Amino acid sequence: MSAKIQAPRGTFDVLPEQAAARAGLEAAARKVLERAGYGRIETPTFEATELFARGVGESTDVVQKEMYTFDDGGGRSITLRPEVTAPICRAYVEHGMHKSAQPVRLWYLSSCFRHEAPQAGRYRQFWQVGAEAIGSEDPAVDAELVLLLAELLDDLGVGGLRLRISSLGGPDTRAAYREDLQRHLREHADALAPEVRERLELNPLRAWDSSHGGTQAVMATAPRLLDRLDGEDAEHFAEVRALLDGAELDYDIDPTLVRGLDYYTRTVFEFESSALGAQSGVGGGGRYDGLVAALGGPETPGCGWAAGIERMLLAAERPPTAPAPVDLFVAYAAPVHRRAAFRVATEARQAGLGAQLELAGRSLKGQLKQADRVGARFVAILGDDGAALKDMESGEQEDVAAAAIVPGVLRGRGGFGL
Ligand code: HAM
């Protein structure tokens, strides 16, 4: 016997019983986002590596160690998308979307790929639902985006939520802060975790994320970016907060919140759920006012978020279900009626009904049990004396001609009985 081949580490199959919840989540996201004017966009699974190197940032963990990058066979380096914001900004520039009414509002549900150590809630292929509003620096854009993600998480019953927000200021504030933080870290280099020390020159802000005791002690006395916002940045952040306050959304201002991607400016935010383990981040995002220009487009502000499908489903108290309804189950008393039953099931589907036919040679009793198991609304039973149609909700049963089954279900589907 040949050895079994398994799915690669950190990946998973979506089986039909899980597909229903995912489809339900997609429907919930569509409802929340399209009502707010967001249109669906899909970008390719792979992009030029340069897009992420420039967009997400050379100093980030994502670009440094997590990308699936390979030669496409023609000497071009391509990368499976680790995230979708940079691809969407590329598409914004490529399609001249700056000529449309601003902000351009887009949403997506896309697979992403990151070479991370797999654990509960952390995979190498995962899915994100996300929203991006490009072309406006109005703080209402930031606040509206936060509220839309809060609404989606609330619809799904994601429990134990905490929202953290902060502001990283503009690029100049951030660059000056980076130097001061580096100076502070260098002064206390001996107390830092080795990986923080190694990243000190490339990515000092990540020291805020460290769980190492010595590093945390050093960070307790470190300068904070939030204390140094310039006038306009401080005003922008105050307005975002006022809008969230007006909407009565609870949040914690957390000056230690630095997100792992380089493109952020001003607002950053993250929702965590205590229903998740170590990977508690359900969704997050922020403003990226320099990204479109960094990708060769005009100076254009932008803001958005992404949330992990798998993490949302893990934390959801009311995982959505969207099973295809079975309007009719076609059963038959003996094999001689199989062809007639097949015709009824086909006719039912052509009429737009969800219809299943007995396919496993069960006894009539077994077929009725199966109809119940799949949640069929009606069961047709074909036998020697014609056909019967049973309303599984009311329990009523009526003898009918085979040709009257489909019209009967169509009439009765609204719950009016036979
Ligand atoms: P991110 O925080 O890197 O942001 O990812 C967003 C969400 O994707 C996380 O909160 C988490 O739920 C999920 N996620 C990330 N990595 C994994 C993984 N390895 N396995 C499972 N789920 C994962 C971004 O990607 C930004 N593009 C968000 C954004 C949009 N910022 C502005 N616009």
Side-chain angles (χ1 to χ4, degrees):
M1 210 164 67
S2 312
K4 278 190 215 152
I5 300 172
Q6 293 188 321
R9 232 164 83 72
T11 70
F12 51 85
D13 299 305
V14 177
L15 302 175
E17 55 269 30
Q18 297 142 1
R22 296 171 78 92
L25 196 159
E26 178 171 351
R30 170 173 297 117
K31 185 194 80 183
V32 168
L33 294 168
E34 297 195 347
R35 260 190 340 208
Y38 286 73
R40 175 89 180 243
I41 182 168
E42 278 175 43
T43 60
T45 308
F46 56 84
E47 297 270 358
T49 302
E50 171 75 7
L51 172 65
F52 301 111
R54 241 201 284 166
V56 173
E58 293 278 11
S59 73
T60 59
D61 281 354
V62 169
V63 171
Q64 289 253 308
K65 32 185 194 194
E66 294 171 4
M67 297 205 305
Y68 286 91
T69 295
F70 43 94
D71 187 291
D72 72 349
R76 285 169 295 265
S77 177
I78 59 171
T79 291
L80 299 182
R81 64 180 163 217
E83 64 100 55
V84 199
T85 310
I88 287 180
C89 289
R90 189 239 346 110
Y92 177 93
V93 176
E94 191 165 328
H95 301 284
M97 292 190 214
H98 62 280
K99 293 185 215 122
S100 317
Q102 306 293 298
V104 171
R105 281 165 291 180
L106 303 164
W107 79 276
Y108 52 92
L109 195 160
S110 306
S111 54
C112 294
F113 306 82
R114 294 185 192 177
H115 190 271
E116 296 193 82
Q119 63 179 85
R122 189 161 75 193
Y123 311 98
R124 290 180 171 173
Q125 178 177 7
F126 59 96
W127 274 258
Q128 283 185 347
V129 59
E132 313 288 350
I134 308 177
S136 166
E137 58 176 5
D138 191 324
V141 168
D142 312 41
E144 185 179 86
L145 277 160
V146 172
L147 288 169
L148 291 172
L149 179 51
E151 185 184 343
L152 175 61
L153 296 173
D154 189 53
D155 279 1
L156 301 172
V158 174
L161 278 180
R162 176 181 173 222
L163 166 62
R164 297 188 293 147
I165 66 168
S166 189
S167 173
L168 301 179
D172 295 344
T173 315
R174 195 170 156 173
Y177 171 74
R178 197 183 132 101
E179 280 181 22
D180 288 352
L181 181 62
Q182 271 170 336
R183 201 170 307 121
H184 178 78
L185 292 172
R186 276 192 216 105
E187 277 167 19
H188 299 89
D190 292 347
L192 298 174
E195 68 273 12
V196 174
R197 216 164 26 232
E198 272 160 32
R199 287 193 300 187
L200 196 159
E201 300 305 327
L202 203 56
N203 199 354
L205 267 67
R206 297 300 284 176
W208 287 113
D209 291 337
S210 175
S211 53
H212 175 258
T215 307
Q216 286 183 346
V218 173
M219 297 318 283
T221 57
R224 292 173 164 206
L225 184 45
L226 199 55
D227 301 331
R228 322 175 151 206
L229 300 186
D230 72 20
E232 278 187 21
D233 292 342
E235 241 171 67
H236 192 273
F237 189 46
E239 184 59 20
V240 173
R241 285 183 341 246
L243 291 165
L244 295 179
D245 292 339
E248 296 182 6
L249 186 73
D250 285 338
Y251 58 84
D252 292 331
I253 296 175
D254 183 352
T256 73
L257 176 65
V258 286
R259 304 227 340 117
L261 313 168
D262 268 359
Y263 46 63
Y264 292 114
T265 52
R266 293 188 161 177
T267 316
V268 282
F269 58 93
E270 205 161 280
F271 282 90
E272 292 170 350
S273 167
S274 58
L276 294 170
Q279 300 304 314
S280 60
V282 207
R287 185 161 273 289
Y288 44 85
D289 291 345
L291 181 54
V292 170
L295 299 177
E299 281 293 337
T300 311
C303 190
W305 52 256
I309 298 288
E310 293 75 27
R311 289 192 197 172
M312 284 193 281
L313 290 177
L314 277 172
E317 279 158 19
R318 293 187 296 278
T321 46
V326 181
D327 300 305
L328 176 67
F329 187 91
V330 189
Y332 49 92
V336 63
H337 308 298
R338 183 192 287 119
R339 287 190 186 163
F342 188 89
R343 270 198 303 276
V344 171
T346 308
E347 192 196 323
R349 287 188 207 110
Q350 282 167 349
L353 294 171
Q356 288 192 19
L357 173 69
E358 168 58 23
L359 293 171
R362 292 180 184 84
S363 68
L364 190 55
K365 199 169 151 213
Q367 294 180 52
L368 294 176
K369 233 190 220 165
Q370 176 64 6
D372 202 37
R373 214 177 284 141
V374 300
R377 176 73 172 78
F378 290 91
V379 182
I381 306 157
L382 280 79
D384 292 339
D385 307 327
L389 188 58
K390 181 171 180 177
D391 182 333
M392 298 292 273
E393 242 168 49
S394 65
E396 272 174 67
Q397 184 167 325
E398 222 180 58
D399 289 338
V400 292
I405 293 173
V406 170
V409 176
L410 283 171
R411 251 197 330 273
R413 208 163 38 149
F416 303 115
L418 293 174

